[in-house]
Amino acid sequence: MQGLGRAVNQIEETLIAAILGLMTVITFANVVARQVFADNILWALEATVFLFAWLVLLGVSYCVKITAHLGVDVVVGAVSPGTRKVMTVIAVACCLAFSLLLLIGGWNYWWKFATTASFLEVNDIPMPEFLQFLADSMNEGERYEKIPRFIPYFVLPLSMALLTFRFLQAGWRVLRGRQEMLIASHEAEELMEEASAESAAQRKG
């Protein structure tokens, strides 16, 4: 499990970093094209939209890992540690059921574009030459002019699979007593209060 967890960490962090970098480069290049050369990168907007969708969906699972999702802990904060653990396990079970439903729905939606509708392309993003080998098996040998939709849409099953894994991982940590809750909740407020207190102390000093 530790090896799998490290592999998933690398996948998420590498993809998120690469996507952020690509979005920055594409947006900057398009701004330069517009302002300096009075031109436009036709596919830049669509590529940025797809990359942003990937960033958001992959970020959901990564935020589960680092407990960055916000929530309300009024009830769980008022109960005993034993009751809190039971409530958290129930919450994990509900989240797992939800992520599994999303995984099934995401897979079914993507599978249609990877099989019977593999000929459908996006509007503007040209197909890179190094990916044209996909046309042999996915498009009856006919070259793609734009990238097929099953490539950007693959984020749906991928992100939901990662989300399901993260909830399983969080549930295991809760059962082992290594984690109390799924959410950050008031931790952010406490950090802000501590920062404000330190700042006030420094001004007085």
Side-chain angles (χ1 to χ4, degrees):
M1 284 296 293
Q2 290 180 350
L4 180 60
R6 284 194 294 269
V8 173
N9 288 346
Q10 290 180 347
I11 291 172
E12 286 179 340
E13 292 170 2
T14 301
L15 284 175
I16 289 171
I19 290 168
L20 280 171
L22 280 173
M23 288 177 65
T24 303
V25 170
I26 292 171
T27 303
F28 177 76
N30 200 29
V31 170
V32 171
R34 286 174 180 271
Q35 301 298 324
V36 178
F37 302 102
D39 201 351
N40 179 40
I41 301 175
L42 181 63
W43 50 267
L45 178 59
E46 186 178 38
T48 304
V49 169
F50 279 130
L51 288 170
F52 186 71
W54 274 70
L55 183 66
V56 170
L57 290 171
L58 292 172
V60 171
S61 63
Y62 188 71
C63 285
V64 172
K65 176 216 170 188
I66 62 175
T67 62
H69 288 292
L70 297 179
V72 179
D73 65 349
V74 174
V75 176
V76 292
V79 298
S80 65
T83 305
R84 185 182 303 125
K85 183 174 183 178
V86 172
M87 295 176 70
T88 303
V89 170
I90 293 172
V92 171
C94 293
C95 291
L96 267 174
F98 182 65
S99 65
L100 283 170
L101 288 173
L102 290 175
L103 174 57
I104 294 170
W107 174 267
N108 290 337
Y109 185 78
W110 173 78
W111 186 248
K112 175 181 65 177
F113 289 96
T115 53
T116 57
S118 61
F119 60 90
L120 291 177
E121 302 174 347
V122 301
N123 296 325
D124 299 318
I125 308 173
M127 181 67 166
E129 189 63 34
F130 72 92
L131 291 177
Q132 285 293 353
F133 72 92
L134 294 171
D136 296 332
S137 57
M138 309 296 290
N139 201 34
E140 300 179 351
E142 185 177 348
R143 288 171 61 87
Y144 287 108
E145 293 184 7
K146 313 296 183 187
I147 66 170
R149 290 179 182 267
F150 67 81
I151 292 179
Y153 289 2
F154 180 65
V155 71
L156 296 171
L158 174 63
S159 61
M160 293 305 104
L162 291 173
L163 181 62
T164 302
F165 173 77
R166 287 305 186 192
F167 280 132
L168 285 170
Q169 196 178 44
W172 178 250
R173 287 199 299 263
V174 170
L175 290 173
R176 295 291 298 272
R178 297 176 181 175
Q179 182 175 330
E180 275 199 345
M181 294 188 295
L182 288 175
I183 57 175
S185 193
H186 295 306
E187 292 177 4
E189 294 179 8
E190 292 170 0
L191 290 173
M192 290 296 294
E193 290 175 359
E194 290 177 5
S196 299
E198 290 178 3
S199 178
Q202 290 175 359
R203 287 197 297 270
K204 289 180 180 179

